[in-house]
Amino acid sequence: MFTTYVIEGEWDNAKECLTKLDEPCEAITIVDPRDGYGDTALHAAAKQGHVHIVKELISLLKVRQEIQELQTIEDIAAFGSTINLGVTEEVVRKKAKYMVEQYEKLLTIILEVQNTQGSTAVHIAAFNGNLDIVKELVPLTRKEGLEIQDAAGYTPLLVAVDEGYIDIVKELLPVMRQGGLELKTAKYDNNALHLAVMNGRMNIAREVMPFMRKKALEEKDGAGYTALGRALDVCKDEDVMEIAKYMAENNTKVFGIQVPQSNWIPVVKALDRSKWDLCHRLYSLTPLEYLMPERGRSGANLNLNCFRAKQLDIVISPTGDAWPPIMELARMRSGFLSGTQLGFWQRLIYNRLRIEPANLSTLHTCINIPQQEDNRDNQIDLIRSVTTLYKKLVHRLFTLLGVIHLREMKWIHTRSIEILCCISEMLKKEPPTSAQLNIVRKSMFKAVEHGNVEFVTHICEAHPSLAKSYDEEGKNIFQFAVECRQHKIYSLIYGISEEDQRLNGLRWINYPENILHLAGKLSPLSRFNRIRGAALQMQRELQWFKEVEDITPLQMRELPNSDGMTPHELFTKNHEALKKEAEDSMKGTATSCTVVGALIVTMMFAAAFTVPGGNDGSTCVPVFLTEKLFLVFIISDTLSLVSSTTSVILFLGILTSRYAEDDFLKHLPTKMMLGLSTLFISIATMMIAFSSALVIMLDKQYSWAVIPSIFATSIPVISFIWLQFPLLVEIIWSTYGPGIFDKKLKKGKPWIKL
C-alpha cells in the first residue's frame, strides 16, 4: 500500500504505513512488482512528478543516515573506553569517519538504484522534464551516479538533451565529470552534442559545446557524422555557422573530417543543396590545408562546382590532383566573352563597365562577412534610409536597362580570365607531369568542342607544344574544330603563318582522310539547333566546306578516303537528307508567299480601277483627284502592285529551281531574300493605300474613326515583321554579311608558331 499511496501522491497515508514497519526506511528501496518496471518508491514519485513526496523520501533517508551515524559514533566510543587494548582516540575517530562515509555512500547508492530499464530516479525526472525533482536529487547523487546509463545507453543528461529540456541540461552540465559529458548512447553512438544537433535544438547545443573537451568536438556518431557534419543535413544555415564558428575557435580539425555518404568535407558538402552563401562562409573558416591535393579531392571538387555555378570568388590553386576542374573551366563557354552574344547597346555598356581584379597572388580568396552594428541615432538612420532608397531606385533602373545583368556577366568573364591566367602562369613556371599534361591536353580539346577560344589561346601560349597535340583519333585542334563546327576556334588558323596553314591542310588524320573529309561530315546536332531552318543549315554546311577547301592543297581535294569517297562525294552523301529537307522548306515557304503575293496583286489591280469616291459620271475623272491623299493612294497602290508581282515571280523562280547543292550557298537565299523583301513592301504599301482611302472617305463625318482604323491596319504589317523579318535579316546576314570566320587575324602577327 505504501507504493500505491506514493503513486497517488497521498503522503499522509504513506507515512502512516511507515509507522507500522520496524524499518520504515527499507520501504523506500522495496521494488513494486506490479508494473513490471522494477520501480522503487523514489522512482514512482519521480515518475508521477510528486516533488513533495520526493523531498519527504530524501528527508527520511537523511534521518536514517543521521541515526546510524550517531549510533556508530557511540558504539565506537564505547568500544574505545571499555577495552584497554592500546586503541588510541585517533584510531577511534578514523573508524568513525570511515563508518560515516559508508553510510553516506549507502544513501547515494539508494538514490542510484536502477529499475528494469536501467533508469535511476534522476533518469525518470529528466525524461519527464521535472526540474524541481532533478534539483532535489542531483546534489545528493555522486558524479558516478550521474554517469549511469540506462538500457539504451542514455545518461540523465542525454535524456534531457533528447527530450529538449534545456533547464535540466543547465542543471546537470556543471556537476558532471568531463568523461560523463561525452558518454554515448548504445544504439546510435550519439553524445550530448550529437543529440542536440540531430534534433535541431541549437539552444541546447549552445550550452553543451563549452563543457566539451576540444578533442571531443571531432567525435563521430554511429553513422560517422561529426556534430558539424550532421548540422549540415538537419540545421538552418545560421545554426550551422554558429557551430562552425565555435569549432573554428576551438578545433579546426573538424573542418577536415569527411561527411558520410558524400565523403566530402563540410565546405564541399554545403554544395550538395546549392547553399552557396553557406559555402562562402564555411570556406572563410576552413583551413586551406584541407583543400590541398595531398588531402584528397575536396579542393578539386570545390573548384569544379564553383566553375559549374560560376561562383568564381572562391579560388584554389590548381596544383597536383586538383587539375580535373580545369576540364570544367574548358567547357564553361558562357564563362567567357567569346561564348556570349551581345547586341550593339549591350556591347557598348559591357565595354564601359569596370571590374576590380581579384588578388590571385595568394592561393585562395576568403570571403569576410561584416557584422552590422545597431545605431540608434535618428539623424544617421534618416540619412541611411534616404541613401538606401536612392540605391534601390538606381538598382531597379539598372536592372531594367540590363546593366546589373551585364555587370554580373562581366564579373564572371573577368574572374574566368584571371583563373585561366593563373593556370597559364603555373604551366610556364612549373612544368607539369606527363599525367597532368595529358589532362590539360584533354581539357584543351574539350574547350575546342565547346568553342572556348580564350581557354585555347591562353593554354597554347603558355605551353606551345599543346597546340600541336592530337586527340585520341589523331586530330589536331583545327581539324577537331572543323568536325565540331566551332568557327571561332577554326578562325585561329588565320592567325598562324601561311606555311603552318599549308601544313595543316596537308596533314592526314587517319590515312588517307584529310581535313576536307571532316568538313564533308554532317554538323553536330547541337550546332544545327542554333540556325533557323534547314535551308540556312545547308548554306552553313556549304560555307564550312568552301572555307576548309580554301586551305586544302589542290592535290588533296580529290583524294578518296578509306571508303573510296572524295571529300565532295562524302559531303553529298552525308547531306542528302538535309538537302531534301532544305528543298521542302524553301518550296513550302515559297508556295505560301506566292499565294499571299497573288492575293495582293488581285486586290491592288482592282483597287486601281475602283478608286475611293468613284468617278465623275460626266467626265469619268475620280471625284477626289484634287485631294493630296489621293496621290498617296495611287502611288501606294502602284508600288504594292509592282512589288507583289515581283515577289510572285521570285517565289515562282524558287519553286522551279533545280535545287543543286551550290544553289543553297547564294542563289536560292538571294531569291528568298528578294522575295520576302518585295512581299514586305507590297504589304506595307497596301496598308498605306487602304489607310489613305479610308481617310479620304471618312475625313468629314466620321473623323473619330480614322485613327483607330489606321491603327488596325498596322496589325498585319507588325505581324509580318514579328514573324518573318528576323528570317529576312538572318538570310541577308548569312549570305552577304561578314561571315562567321574572323579573317582579320591574317593582318596581325601570328599568335603562335606551330
Side-chain angles (χ1 to χ4, degrees):
M1 290 300 293
F2 173 72
T3 307
T4 302
Y5 288 135
V6 169
I7 293 172
E8 294 174 355
E10 299 177 4
W11 176 246
D12 292 336
N13 293 332
K15 193 173 183 180
E16 187 177 343
C17 290
L18 291 176
T19 58
K20 300 176 182 179
L21 300 174
D22 296 332
E23 285 291 337
C25 293
E26 291 182 0
I28 301 173
T29 59
I30 294 175
V31 174
D32 185 3
R34 291 175 297 178
D35 58 5
Y37 291 114
D39 290 335
T40 64
L42 195 58
H43 286 96
K47 187 176 291 185
Q48 299 301 323
H50 299 319
V51 182
H52 66 288
I53 294 182
V54 171
K55 290 180 179 179
E56 293 291 347
L57 292 174
I58 292 173
S59 299
L60 192 62
L61 288 172
K62 287 182 177 179
V63 170
R64 179 188 180 188
Q65 178 185 359
E66 291 172 358
I67 293 172
Q68 289 178 333
E69 288 174 359
L70 290 172
Q71 184 64 44
T72 301
I73 293 172
E74 290 175 0
D75 291 345
I76 293 176
F79 172 76
S81 60
T82 53
I83 36 181
N84 187 14
L85 297 176
V87 179
T88 63
E89 185 178 351
E90 183 179 355
V91 172
V92 173
R93 286 178 180 174
K94 286 183 179 180
K95 184 68 174 178
K97 183 179 179 182
Y98 172 77
M99 295 299 293
V100 169
E101 288 175 352
Q102 292 303 308
Y103 285 126
E104 288 178 351
K105 186 176 181 180
L106 180 62
L107 172 62
T108 57
I109 289 174
I110 292 173
L111 294 175
E112 296 166 11
V113 172
Q114 296 172 265
N115 61 13
T116 55
Q117 295 177 322
S119 299
T120 64
V122 183
H123 279 93
I124 293 173
F127 179 80
N128 291 328
N130 199 314
L131 178 62
D132 292 332
I133 294 179
V134 171
K135 286 182 176 180
E136 293 294 331
L137 296 174
V138 167
L140 301 175
T141 305
R142 298 176 305 152
K143 295 184 184 296
E144 295 87 339
L146 296 176
E147 297 170 10
I148 293 174
Q149 294 175 281
D150 61 15
Y154 283 76
T155 63
L157 175 63
L158 292 174
V159 171
V161 171
D162 196 36
E163 296 299 324
Y165 298 125
I166 187 170
D167 292 332
I168 296 178
V169 171
K170 289 180 179 179
E171 188 72 22
L172 292 170
L173 283 172
V175 298
M176 293 189 69
R177 298 187 302 183
Q178 198 73 54
L181 289 171
E182 297 163 10
L183 288 173
K184 297 182 177 181
T185 61
K187 187 174 181 181
Y188 297 110
D189 224 17
N190 294 318
N191 61 26
L193 183 57
H194 291 140
L195 280 176
V197 171
M198 186 183 299
N199 293 323
R201 298 192 172 101
M202 193 58 208
N203 58 341
I204 294 180
R206 197 177 293 118
E207 297 293 332
V208 172
M209 285 190 291
F211 287 92
M212 299 187 70
R213 293 177 300 114
K214 294 181 179 180
K215 181 70 177 175
L217 298 174
E218 303 173 29
E219 291 287 335
K220 300 178 182 179
D221 62 15
Y225 287 87
T226 62
L228 179 59
R230 180 65 72 179
L232 286 167
D233 280 343
V234 300
C235 292
K236 298 178 181 178
D237 291 357
E238 294 77 12
D239 295 339
V240 173
M241 281 309 302
E242 186 172 350
I243 295 173
K245 286 177 182 177
Y246 183 84
M247 302 289 186
E249 294 171 359
N250 293 276
N251 190 344
T252 55
K253 290 182 179 179
V254 177
F255 294 96
I257 299 175
Q258 294 180 349
V259 180
Q261 296 181 355
S262 64
N263 291 327
W264 298 119
I265 62 175
V267 65
V268 183
K269 172 67 176 177
L271 302 181
D272 281 358
R273 299 179 184 176
S274 299
K275 296 183 175 181
W276 282 105
D277 182 57
L278 179 62
C279 178
H280 280 83
R281 293 193 282 176
L282 283 176
Y283 177 69
S284 66
L285 299 176
T286 302
L288 188 61
E289 61 183 285
Y290 297 125
L291 297 169
M292 290 293 100
E294 58 270 15
R295 298 302 292 265
R297 300 285 298 167
S298 292
N301 187 266
L302 181 62
N303 266 341
L304 190 67
N305 282 280
C306 288
F307 290 147
R308 285 176 178 169
K310 300 181 180 64
Q311 298 286 335
L312 302 180
D313 47 354
I314 298 179
V315 180
I316 304 169
S317 173
T319 56
D321 288 338
W323 277 105
I326 197 176
M327 190 77 75
E328 190 63 33
L329 184 63
R331 63 179 293 276
M332 197 174 71
R333 186 167 179 262
S334 61
F336 298 89
L337 179 59
S338 63
T340 308
Q341 293 184 348
L342 297 175
F344 174 77
W345 291 109
Q346 288 178 317
R347 186 170 292 276
L348 191 65
I349 296 172
Y350 181 94
N351 292 333
R352 297 293 186 277
L353 294 172
R354 292 290 176 265
I355 303 296
E356 289 295 325
N359 181 18
L360 296 181
S361 59
T362 57
L363 292 181
H364 71 295
T365 302
C366 289
I367 310 302
N368 296 318
I369 309 297
Q371 294 182 351
Q372 296 181 350
E373 297 181 358
D374 294 333
N375 193 327
R376 298 183 179 179
D377 191 285
N378 293 333
Q379 187 176 1
I380 294 177
D381 284 347
L382 179 61
I383 295 172
R384 285 180 177 175
S385 299
V386 173
T387 305
T388 302
L389 180 61
Y390 173 74
K391 287 181 178 179
K392 285 183 178 179
L393 290 173
V394 173
H395 184 273
R396 289 187 179 181
L397 178 61
F398 281 177
T399 302
L400 185 65
L401 296 175
V403 177
I404 300 297
H405 174 69
L406 289 171
R407 182 175 180 80
E408 291 174 354
M409 182 189 299
K410 189 165 185 176
W411 185 91
I412 292 172
H413 295 166
T414 305
R415 294 294 176 263
S416 298
I417 291 294
E418 288 169 346
I419 295 171
L420 197 53
C421 291
C422 179
I423 294 173
S424 301
E425 287 300 317
M426 296 189 71
L427 279 173
K428 293 177 183 177
K429 294 178 181 178
E430 303 175 15
T433 64
S434 58
Q436 291 172 344
L437 194 61
N438 186 47
I439 292 175
V440 177
R441 180 185 62 80
K442 290 181 179 179
S443 300
M444 188 179 65
F445 278 95
K446 181 65 70 174
V448 172
E449 182 183 352
H450 289 84
N452 194 335
V453 179
E454 290 88 346
F455 188 95
V456 174
T457 54
H458 277 76
I459 294 299
C460 289
E461 288 171 357
H463 207 289
S465 65
L466 289 169
K468 296 182 286 186
S469 61
Y470 311 117
D471 66 0
E472 289 76 6
E473 296 178 359
K475 295 186 284 286
N476 63 22
I477 57 174
F478 299 111
Q479 292 166 338
F480 191 54
V482 172
E483 185 178 49
C484 297
R485 299 297 194 268
Q486 293 293 350
H487 57 277
K488 290 185 178 180
I489 300 292
Y490 181 78
S491 295
L492 294 175
I493 201 170
Y494 300 116
I496 61 178
S497 65
E498 291 185 2
E499 178 64 18
D500 287 336
Q501 289 184 37
R502 187 181 68 83
L503 291 174
N504 268 280
L506 285 170
R507 187 184 175 279
W508 306 102
I509 300 169
N510 289 323
Y511 183 84
E513 192 175 72
N514 58 50
I515 191 171
L516 195 55
H517 285 97
L518 292 175
K521 294 180 179 180
L522 198 63
S523 177
L525 185 61
S526 59
R527 303 300 298 172
F528 269 160
N529 291 337
R530 303 183 182 188
I531 304 171
R532 183 194 296 263
L536 291 179
Q537 291 171 0
M538 186 66 186
Q539 183 192 49
R540 180 60 54 84
E541 289 292 274
L542 285 164
Q543 289 171 343
W544 264 103
F545 191 82
K546 298 294 183 183
E547 194 68 31
V548 176
E549 192 176 40
D550 288 344
I551 70 159
T552 306
L554 291 173
Q555 66 270 27
M556 298 187 70
R557 294 179 185 179
E558 297 300 325
L559 288 179
N561 62 7
S562 56
D563 296 327
M565 302 183 73
T566 65
H568 192 274
E569 290 172 343
L570 185 64
F571 182 91
T572 301
K573 178 185 176 182
N574 289 332
H575 293 79
E576 187 176 353
L578 179 62
K579 177 175 170 291
K580 183 68 172 69
E581 187 180 350
E583 180 181 343
D584 294 341
S585 174
M586 292 284 279
K587 285 182 176 179
T589 304
T591 301
S592 301
C593 292
T594 300
V595 173
V596 175
L599 288 173
I600 296 174
V601 168
T602 304
M603 289 187 293
M604 293 298 100
F605 187 83
F609 297 99
T610 55
V611 294
N615 298 324
D616 190 301
S618 57
T619 61
C620 294
V621 176
V623 174
F624 296 110
L625 182 62
T626 57
E627 295 285 341
K628 292 181 180 180
L629 282 176
F630 188 81
L631 181 61
V632 174
F633 169 80
I634 291 298
I635 294 173
S636 300
D637 185 86
T638 304
L639 287 175
S640 181
L641 179 63
V642 172
S643 58
S644 59
T645 304
T646 305
S647 70
V648 169
I649 294 171
L650 289 169
F651 287 125
L652 286 174
I654 293 174
L655 290 171
T656 57
S657 177
R658 64 193 181 101
Y659 289 98
E661 281 179 1
D662 290 342
D663 289 346
F664 287 95
L665 191 60
K666 277 198 173 181
H667 179 66
L668 288 173
T670 301
K671 283 186 176 181
M672 181 63 72
M673 176 186 67
L674 293 173
L676 288 173
S677 299
T678 52
L679 182 61
F680 172 73
I681 293 172
S682 68
I683 293 174
T685 51
M686 179 182 68
M687 292 298 103
I688 293 172
F690 175 79
S691 300
S692 58
L694 206 62
V695 172
I696 291 171
M697 292 186 294
L698 302 178
D699 188 35
K700 295 179 180 180
Q701 294 183 347
Y702 300 100
S703 57
W704 58 269
V706 172
I707 294 177
S709 300
I710 293 175
F711 177 77
T713 58
S714 65
I715 294 177
V717 180
I718 294 173
S719 300
F720 184 86
I721 293 174
W722 182 268
L723 297 173
Q724 298 299 329
F725 194 69
L727 174 62
L728 178 61
V729 171
E730 192 167 344
I731 292 173
I732 295 172
W733 187 261
S734 179
T735 307
Y736 295 100
I740 60 174
F741 302 99
D742 186 8
K743 296 184 179 181
K744 291 184 291 184
L745 292 171
K746 287 182 177 180
K747 301 178 182 179
K749 184 180 177 182
W751 66 280
I752 195 169
K753 175 66 179 175
L754 297 180

